[in-house]
Amino acid sequence: LIKGLKLTATDDSLKYNWDSKGEGSEHDAKILAIYDGKDFIEKCSSSTEVCGLVLDKTCCYAEQGGQTFDTAEIKSASGVEFSVDDAQKYAGYVLHVGTVAGKGELKVGDKVTLKVDFTRRALVAKNHTATHILNFALREVLGGKVDQKGSLVDEGKLRFDFSHNKPVEVEEMRRIEEICNQEIQKAHVIHFRDVALKKAEAINGLRAVFGEKYPDPVRVVSVGPTIDNLLGDSNTAWGAQHSIEFCGGTHVQNTTEIYKFVLLLEEGIAKGVRRIVAVTGPQAAVEATLKSKALRAEVDEARTLSGALLDKRIADLRKNVGEDKEVSLIMKKDMLTELDGLKVGQLKAGKEASKEFEKKAKEAGDKIGKEASAAGGKTFVGVVDAGAGSDDAKCLGFAMEVASKACPDKALMLLSNAGGKLAVLALVPKALVGELSAKAWSSKVLDAVGGKGGGKDDRAQGQAADPSKLDAALAAAKGYP
């Protein structure tokens, strides 16, 4: 359709005419066509909803090569404003997609001025140049077989897909991030020039996307070496020392503008293809680091805890650290490793503590068994204290095992509240079953303290939530039968 209007392709060479620190000029242009999504129309207004303007020339970067589109403002001589929210390129024509803001109309033939949001583009440029540096760092660390499989750069992040048949190890990621930041701090100047394709392909070590069809001439982007040096010295393996790529995108003028590179994510997206997401720039990179430090403080605080409190904190922190996609990946991996270490230490400490509790419970059981054997009557009640933090029910089991051997001819009831609950365990020897019932005995005690339990006539147990009711439990136990 647009060819039927006999329009020349959009001249978009002005997209490179800007200062990557966030400044650029306003440019004059002329509206050649207006498209409403179905038809080419002669004019548009705020009632047209979304439409696309084709200009004779533009300074907007249309989405391509993994780089997002520019946003901009278009204004006519009569003051009508058009907000460009998207820019796409079709068969050489750049379509400025957006809406008319306020009153008035834009018509085919109108002369307009165009001003790109250069502040936003500067953020995109930081991420785009950083993507080139990342590609270089990946080859340095993972080897020359790494090939680009896709990319996306916008104002908020960079995303890079590459061939690699296994997850990138933590130390490899640490080295990749380190190389990227080293390259940034070297203050490399970014050089670019359109070069005849055959000549450009002869640059030693240059990286190109496999299967990509490049224009002739092609734009060469070099992080560091000048284009003259690349073309004039075929012996130096430039691509092994610097990032050298074919690219039509917009970039920073100096790597120091990137400020900092922080990895956020590394994951597999297909067989043999990995994806890295990262952020750059003072705000995004610093925010990612600050969020990481906040989580780090929580991990450090967890080291002061123990027991059940530590178990819960480890679980909560693993969830928080694992789910947060806006923190430094390296710091996240380090923190998860530390949490795993805390968990192992906690399990080890728990096993050691359990052994100590078992020992104390058996000692208490031996003492109670001897006291029961020396006492008169058919029943005996004792209290087991294995220490704070112990499992009351388990400790009663250990204690009863020893006590029943020391006093096999009496019905025994043991109680414990040292671990934070009130546990009850009753045992009636076979000779007394029928005359006495462990189930009835324990039920009487548990009813007195609001607990629950179960069992049979020879053995029954239960628990109550309130450990302070030990005296009431003792009274009920000693009142049986």
Side-chain angles (χ1 to χ4, degrees), residues 49 77 110 131 139 213 217 316 326 381 385 442 447 452:
E49 296 185 357
D110 279 354
T131 301
R139 297 197 310 274
K213 188 176 181 180
D316 290 344
E326 297 180 351
V381 178
D385 183 358
S442 65
D447 287 345
K452 292 182 179 180

Side-chain angles (χ1 to χ4, degrees), residues 75-321:
K75 184 182 288 187
S76 71
S78 61
V80 180
E81 295 181 356
F82 184 89
S83 178
V84 180
D85 303 316
D86 190 0
Q88 299 292 327
K89 196 169 188 177
Y90 304 99
Y93 299 94
V94 175
L95 193 65
H96 304 76
V97 182
T99 54
V100 174
K103 296 180 180 180
E105 296 178 333
L106 290 176
K107 300 183 291 296
V108 173
D110 279 354
K111 291 183 178 180
V112 296
T113 56
L114 177 62
K115 181 66 181 287
V116 167
D117 182 348
F118 289 111
T119 301
R120 175 179 176 274
R121 189 201 275 183
L123 297 174
V124 177
K126 287 175 173 60
N127 286 331
H128 200 157
T129 307
T131 301
H132 284 218
I133 295 172
L134 171 61
N135 194 7
F136 167 75
L138 286 169
R139 297 197 310 274
E140 283 283 290
V141 177
L142 303 180
K145 292 183 179 180
V146 170
D147 280 318
Q148 180 176 341
K149 293 298 182 181
S151 67
L152 172 66
V153 291
D154 57 28
E155 69 273 28
K157 66 183 181 305
L158 66 91
R159 192 181 77 196
F160 190 78
D161 302 337
F162 58 98
S163 60
H164 194 57
N165 59 9
K166 61 181 180 178
V168 182
E169 300 292 337
V170 176
E171 288 309 310
E172 290 174 330
M173 287 189 288
R174 197 187 307 278
R175 181 61 183 144
I176 290 164
E177 186 177 87
E178 186 180 70
I179 290 173
C180 288
N181 283 303
Q182 286 173 351
E183 291 299 301
I184 289 167
Q185 294 307 312
K186 286 178 182 178
H188 290 304
V189 174
I190 312 304
H191 300 278
F192 49 86
R193 186 195 302 171
D194 285 343
V195 179
L197 183 59
K198 191 171 182 180
K199 216 174 171 185
E201 288 176 333
I203 295 172
N204 194 340
L206 178 138
R207 296 292 291 190
V209 178
F210 180 76
E212 186 82 9
K213 188 176 181 180
Y214 293 100
D216 190 4
V218 66
R219 193 164 184 259
V220 178
V221 176
S222 169
V223 180
T226 66
I227 305 301
D228 285 338
N229 284 343
L230 299 180
L231 297 174
D233 181 356
S234 59
N235 294 319
T236 301
W238 296 107
Q241 302 171 28
H242 302 275
S243 168
I244 317 292
E245 297 189 29
F246 293 157
C247 180
T250 56
H251 291 270
V252 297
Q253 293 167 306
N254 191 290
T255 56
T256 55
E257 294 172 33
I258 299 170
Y259 186 77
K260 189 176 182 181
F261 177 96
V262 179
L263 286 170
L264 296 186
L265 176 69
E266 189 279 332
E267 63 181 356
I269 59 168
K271 186 177 180 180
V273 181
R274 309 296 299 178
R275 169 172 290 170
I276 277 179
V277 176
V279 291
T280 66
Q283 185 173 348
V286 170
E287 282 181 0
T289 303
L290 288 176
K291 285 185 178 181
S292 302
K293 286 182 177 179
L295 284 172
R296 153 66 57 201
E298 293 187 50
V299 172
D300 290 342
E301 184 185 353
R303 293 180 175 279
T304 65
L305 305 176
S306 61
L309 285 175
L310 178 56
D311 281 336
K312 186 178 186 307
R313 196 71 185 120
I314 289 173
D316 290 344
L317 280 171
R318 280 196 65 85
K319 183 174 182 291
N320 294 342
V321 172

Side-chain angles (χ1 to χ4, degrees), residues 29-34 41-42 54 106-112:
K30 182 180 178 181
I31 299 177
L32 299 183
I34 303 174
I41 56 180
E42 288 299 312
V54 178
L106 290 176
K107 300 183 291 296
V108 173
D110 279 354
K111 291 183 178 180
V112 296

Side-chain angles (χ1 to χ4, degrees), residues 289-465:
T289 303
L290 288 176
K291 285 185 178 181
S292 302
K293 286 182 177 179
L295 284 172
R296 153 66 57 201
E298 293 187 50
V299 172
D300 290 342
E301 184 185 353
R303 293 180 175 279
T304 65
L305 305 176
S306 61
L309 285 175
L310 178 56
D311 281 336
K312 186 178 186 307
R313 196 71 185 120
I314 289 173
D316 290 344
L317 280 171
R318 280 196 65 85
K319 183 174 182 291
N320 294 342
V321 172
E323 289 181 351
D324 199 325
K325 304 297 184 184
E326 297 180 351
V327 302
S328 164
L329 179 62
I330 305 303
M331 294 183 75
K332 178 190 288 190
K333 293 287 186 181
D334 288 344
M335 284 186 279
L336 288 172
T337 299
E338 286 188 42
L339 289 172
D340 288 342
L342 279 176
K343 184 66 177 177
V344 170
Q346 172 75 344
L347 290 172
K348 185 178 179 181
K351 287 180 180 179
E352 292 174 354
S354 294
K355 289 180 180 178
E356 185 63 24
F357 291 143
E358 180 181 348
K359 179 183 176 185
K360 288 183 177 180
K362 288 182 176 180
E363 288 174 352
D366 183 61
K367 182 181 178 183
I368 291 170
K370 289 175 180 176
E371 290 175 355
S373 184
K378 297 180 180 179
T379 64
F380 189 85
V381 178
V383 176
V384 176
D385 183 358
S390 60
D391 184 316
D392 290 303
K394 282 186 178 180
C395 286
L396 288 186
F398 294 135
M400 185 65 81
E401 181 184 348
V402 177
S404 60
K405 289 178 181 178
C407 182
D409 58 347
K410 283 189 174 67
L412 303 175
M413 173 168 281
L414 303 182
L415 301 99
S416 174
N417 69 344
K421 292 183 179 180
L422 179 53
V424 175
L425 176 59
L427 185 71
V428 174
K430 287 183 180 180
L432 295 177
V433 171
E435 184 180 348
L436 299 173
S437 168
K439 185 175 182 181
W441 196 5
S442 65
S443 293
K444 179 179 180 180
V445 174
L446 291 168
D447 287 345
V449 295
K452 292 182 179 180
K456 298 180 180 179
D457 287 338
D458 62 336
R459 187 184 180 96
Q461 62 283 319
Q463 287 187 353

